[in-house]
């Protein structure tokens, strides 16, 4: 079931109860509560409770909203109505299906016992901050708040020393309190129904918002299997838009196939984020925020472990002129990553007319990576620009901040890096592809920034037969029809040769299981460069660079600033129209 919510401003309260959510007519307030509890319009119900309506109001046939939920064996609505303080002993309970009543009550009490949740009536106005009519923080079987190391796949490490339904806070175990319209499942807050939100005001809009450590759109494991979660956002206002927003590690799709002999019956899971925005604000598919940049935190489209298959799809159309990011990480950003036999497939598609960033990480951006013995990993970034903003397939920043991304070292980080494709070995097969079509006059970069840029790298060595033990293929395709400059891979003029400073590296290599290809087509007057490094860079090409220069601009295979080392053992083909 989809949760449909339309936002027209913070001043908009729920419609009259004779017009229930989804445009279905409600014959009474009891029916209104039940219909809106089904779809998650809790804020609308709370509005009437604050105005004096009773959660135990009865219909003409004497049913309360809770009795409607029991008669329909609807646990989603039942739990939400109980959370609003409904009386489970009302006289109408004697007329409903007794088996349904017993089963639903037992299920609710078990969840409440684990979560420490208490029922409430009315509630605060906080629920109307972003979504006047309900749940912009709900998701289809979507983990919204805390994720403890229940299934051994935690990236944050340390585990959870508390019992199920508890979190460790300030030296003690406390009950996990889930956000509105979610319920506790083990140590996860999950909500049912796709997130579907239309917005016409200028407030920031969130598909999923959490201030907790780990945030998921789709989470699937042997203990909590799931196969799909989707977020659909439409915005006409000028605020920022976020598909999934969280502090720390943030995931669109996260799948564990098996663990400790237990199989996940849904080993393949898909997370979908679809955003259409006509406003001037910035748009983010996945946003990973940290307050301290020395913390190693990451934003992911798809991540998989142990024979699981994670599929992440991010599709954004932004026509308001603002910046657009597929994945933004305050520290690291990944499109697809798989470990220990997992498979991951990440797809990012952006159509926009402002600045466009497929991946943007402060210290790291990676399109496709098998970091520890993954299996098949594919990352695809498709960017289409019709405006005059700059376009970046992948971008990493580089500021002089000691130890960023490496806690407790106190040393300057030396791995400001970006990989289009990286294979660690063990028979993994990794492919990263960046496709950019630009019809505006901004500059275009396949990969930008940092100290180390690699189109493809395979680090697995050789198997017993002398063949590469891992395969990585990186491809960058850019078609530019504007008059801006075009760069396959680019590092800025940031390196000054200071003591301890990492020398910038740009590598487009095809060796040891790696294959790197850059294809550039330019019809405009700007400069087109395959590999471009700042001063004192080390630039290496053993792969292939193809430039089809159909305009009036200059074409350069490899360029290095003053003091750079350039090594070419690959192919550079430059074609110019006669």
């Amino acid at each position: 079931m989809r949760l449909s919510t339309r936002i027209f401003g913070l001043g908009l309260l729920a419609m009259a109860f004779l017009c229930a959510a989804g445009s279905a007519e409600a014959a009474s307030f009891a029916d209104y509560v039940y219909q809106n509890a089904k779809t998650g319009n809790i804020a609308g119900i709370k509005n009437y409770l604050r105005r004096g309506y009773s959660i135990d109001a009865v219909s003409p046939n004497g049913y309360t909203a809770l009795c409607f939920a029991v008669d329909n064996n609807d646990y989603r609505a039942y739990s939400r109505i109980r959370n609003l303080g409904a009386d489970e002993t009302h006289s109408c309970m004697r007329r409903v299906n007794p088996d349904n009543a017993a089963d639903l009550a037992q299920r609710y009490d078990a969840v409440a016992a684990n979560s420490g949740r208490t029922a409430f009536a009315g509630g605060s106005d906080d629920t109307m901050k972003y979504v006047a009519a309900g749940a912009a923080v709900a998701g289809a079987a979507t983990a919204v708040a805390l994720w403890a190391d229940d299934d051994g796949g935690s990236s944050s490490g340390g585990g959870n020393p508390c019992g199920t339904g508890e979190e460790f806070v300030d030296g003690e175990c406390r009950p996990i309190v889930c956000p509105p319209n979610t319920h506790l499942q083990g140590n996860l807050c999950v909500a049912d129904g796709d997130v579907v939100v239309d917005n016409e005001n200028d407030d920031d809009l969130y598909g999923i918002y959490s201030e907790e450590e780990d945030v998921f759109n789709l989470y699937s494991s042997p203990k909590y299997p799931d196969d799909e979660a989707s977020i659909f956002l439409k915005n006409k206002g000028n605020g920022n838009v976020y598909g999934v927003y969280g502090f720390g590690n943030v995931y669109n799709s996260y799948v564990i196939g098996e663990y400790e002999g237990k199989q996940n019956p849904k080993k393949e899971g898909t997370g979908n984020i679809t955003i259409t925005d006509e406003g001037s604000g910035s748009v983010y598919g996945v946003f990973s925020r940290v307050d301290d940049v020395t913390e190693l935190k990451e934003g992911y489209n798809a991540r998989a472990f142990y024979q699981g298959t994670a599929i992440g799809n991010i599709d954004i159309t932004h026509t308001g002129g603002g910046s657009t990011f597929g994945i933004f990480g305050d520290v690291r950003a990944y499109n697809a990553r798989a470990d220990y036999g997992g498979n991951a497939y990440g797809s990012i598609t952006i159509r926009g007319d402002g600045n466009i960033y497929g991946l943007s990480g402060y210290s790291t951006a990676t399109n496709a990576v098998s970091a520890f013995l993954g299996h098949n990993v594919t990352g695809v970034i498709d960017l289409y620009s019709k405006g005059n903003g700059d376009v970046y397939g992948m971008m990493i920043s580089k500021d002089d901040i000691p130890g960023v991304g490496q806690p407790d070292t106190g040393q300057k980080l030396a791995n400001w890096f970006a990989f289009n494709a990286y294979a660690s070995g063990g028979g993994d097969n990794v492919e990263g592809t960046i496709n950019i079509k630009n019809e505006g006059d901004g500059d275009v970069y396949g990969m930008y920034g940092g100290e180390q840029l690699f189109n493809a790298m395979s680090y697995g060595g050789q198997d017993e037969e002398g063949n590469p033990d891992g395969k990585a293929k990186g491809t960058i395709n850019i078609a530019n029809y504007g008059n801006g400059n075009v760069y396959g891979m680019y590092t800025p003029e940031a390196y000054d040769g200071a003591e301890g400073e990492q020398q910038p590296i740009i590598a487009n290599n095809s060796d040891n299981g790696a294959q790197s290809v850059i294809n550039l087509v330019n019809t405009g007057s700007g400069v087109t460069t395959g590999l471009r490094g700042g001063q004192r860079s080390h630039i290496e090409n053993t792969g292939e660079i193809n430039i089809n220069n159909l305009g009036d601009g200059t074409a350069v295979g490899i360029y290095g600033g003053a003091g750079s080392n350039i090594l070419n053992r690959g192919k550079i083909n430059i074609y110019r129209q006669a």
Side-chain angles (χ1 to χ4, degrees):
M1 178 186 299
R2 288 186 178 177
L3 171 65
S4 298
T5 310
R6 188 172 300 273
I7 311 172
F8 294 101
L10 297 187
L12 175 68
L13 299 179
M15 296 175 286
F17 64 79
L18 288 180
C19 186
S23 299
E25 289 191 358
S28 65
F29 183 63
D31 188 40
Y32 171 85
V33 171
Y34 172 61
Q35 296 294 337
N36 283 269
K38 284 176 60 177
T39 60
N41 182 13
I42 306 304
I45 299 172
K46 288 181 182 177
N47 173 56
Y48 281 94
L49 297 180
R50 282 192 292 267
R51 291 160 59 181
Y53 285 79
S54 171
I55 192 64
D56 294 317
V58 296
S59 68
N61 68 350
Y63 265 36
T64 65
L66 192 65
C67 287
F68 280 125
V70 172
D71 238 14
N72 288 281
N73 201 25
D74 186 344
Y75 179 72
R76 298 176 192 174
Y78 179 94
S79 63
R80 291 165 177 168
I81 297 168
R82 284 285 302 272
N83 288 343
L84 293 171
D87 180 7
E88 72 274 21
T89 65
H90 193 277
S91 60
C92 65
M93 286 293 176
R94 295 194 293 268
R95 298 161 50 198
V96 299
N97 184 307
D99 292 335
N100 289 357
D103 291 342
L104 294 175
Q106 183 178 13
R107 183 177 175 185
Y108 179 86
D109 290 340
V111 172
N114 284 331
S115 68
R117 175 171 48 197
T118 57
F120 58 90
S124 71
D125 288 331
D126 292 343
T127 56
M128 302 185 67
K129 183 175 182 181
Y130 301 112
V131 180
V137 292
T142 300
V144 179
L146 179 71
W147 169 59
D149 194 8
D150 285 335
D151 296 288
S154 171
S155 60
S156 56
N160 180 13
C162 303
T164 300
E166 296 181 323
E167 58 183 328
F168 194 68
V169 179
D170 296 332
E172 63 180 11
C173 293
R174 299 180 182 177
I176 297 172
V177 179
C178 292
N181 307 308
T182 69
H183 64 275
L184 197 65
Q185 180 174 274
N187 284 343
L188 299 173
C189 291
V190 299
D192 300 316
D194 292 347
V195 178
V196 182
V197 183
D198 290 0
N199 180 45
E200 296 187 359
N201 65 40
D202 289 337
D203 297 296
D204 291 345
L205 175 64
Y206 300 84
I208 294 175
Y209 175 93
S210 176
E211 297 184 2
E212 297 292 346
E213 180 68 16
D214 293 285
V215 185
F216 306 83
N217 183 15
L218 173 114
Y219 177 92
S220 181
S221 70
K223 189 177 292 185
Y224 309 115
D226 196 7
D227 57 4
E228 187 171 6
S230 297
I231 297 170
F232 303 91
L233 305 179
K234 293 183 179 181
N235 183 55
K236 293 184 178 180
N238 292 314
N240 296 330
V241 180
Y242 305 85
V244 183
Y245 177 104
F247 287 73
N249 298 314
V250 183
Y251 306 87
N252 183 21
S253 176
Y254 188 105
V255 179
I256 302 170
E258 61 180 58
Y259 186 70
E260 294 183 343
K262 298 180 180 179
Q263 301 293 320
N264 184 347
K266 298 181 179 179
K267 288 188 175 182
E268 180 177 305
T270 301
N272 299 307
I273 299 173
T274 303
I275 301 173
T276 302
D277 182 41
E278 299 178 16
S280 60
S282 296
V283 178
Y284 304 85
V286 170
F287 189 104
S288 168
R289 176 182 172 181
V290 297
D291 291 325
D292 181 357
V293 294
T294 64
E295 297 179 355
L296 182 57
K297 302 300 180 183
E298 301 159 337
Y300 285 92
N301 191 11
R303 188 170 190 188
F305 294 88
Y306 303 115
Q307 288 70 54
T309 298
I311 302 171
N313 298 312
I314 297 174
D315 190 292
I316 302 173
T317 300
H318 188 194
T319 57
S323 296
T324 307
F325 300 80
I327 300 176
F328 178 91
D330 265 350
V331 179
R332 292 182 172 183
Y334 293 85
N335 190 9
R337 175 175 174 176
D339 299 296
Y340 306 115
N343 305 286
Y345 303 92
S347 173
I348 297 173
T349 302
I350 300 175
R351 294 164 290 271
D353 54 8
N355 291 335
I356 297 176
Y357 308 82
L359 296 174
S360 178
Y362 188 81
S363 71
T364 305
T366 302
N367 192 11
V369 57
S370 163
F372 301 101
L373 306 176
H375 190 213
N376 294 315
V377 185
T378 300
V380 179
I381 299 172
D382 293 318
L383 308 179
Y384 306 89
S385 175
K386 289 183 176 291
N388 293 320
D390 295 333
V391 183
Y392 304 83
M394 300 166 59
M395 176 184 181
I396 50 176
S397 304
K398 178 185 177 298
D399 291 332
D400 226 1
I401 298 179
V404 63
Q406 289 193 351
D408 303 324
T409 63
Q411 300 177 357
K412 178 171 171 28
L413 181 68
N415 67 337
W416 300 88
F417 60 82
F419 292 95
N420 193 9
Y422 176 90
S424 61
D428 49 359
N429 187 14
V430 182
E431 185 168 352
T433 303
I434 299 171
N435 300 311
I436 301 176
K437 179 180 179 181
N438 180 46
E439 298 181 3
D441 288 334
D443 293 336
V444 183
Y445 307 85
M447 300 175 66
Y448 174 96
E451 293 177 342
Q452 302 179 35
L453 299 182
F454 300 89
N455 194 0
M457 174 183 284
S458 179
Y459 201 68
Q462 297 180 338
D463 60 21
E464 295 179 356
E465 298 178 357
N467 298 314
D469 198 25
K471 296 181 180 179
K473 181 178 181 180
T475 304
I476 299 172
N477 300 311
I478 300 176
N480 182 54
Y481 300 98
N483 292 311
N485 298 321
V486 180
Y487 305 93
M489 302 171 69
Y490 178 104
T491 56
E493 302 282 2
Y495 177 65
D496 58 9
E499 183 177 355
E501 186 86 3
Q502 171 70 41
Q503 183 180 15
I505 298 173
I506 301 178
N508 185 61
N509 287 339
S510 292
D511 50 27
N512 300 320
Q515 181 181 357
S516 298
V517 180
I518 296 175
N519 299 310
L520 308 177
V521 177
N522 182 37
T523 65
S525 58
V527 176
T528 303
T529 307
L531 307 177
R532 194 274 188 198
Q535 58 186 354
R536 298 185 178 89
S537 296
H538 177 82
I539 308 173
E540 183 173 325
N541 177 53
T542 61
E544 187 172 334
I545 299 172
N546 301 304
I547 301 176
N548 195 349
N549 193 33
L550 305 177
D552 298 329
T554 302
V556 181
I558 301 175
Y559 172 89
S564 293
N565 300 316
I566 298 176
L567 172 64
N568 178 51
R569 292 186 288 112
K571 297 180 180 180
I572 301 176
N573 301 308
I574 299 178
Y575 308 91
R576 177 178 289 278
Q577 190 175 36

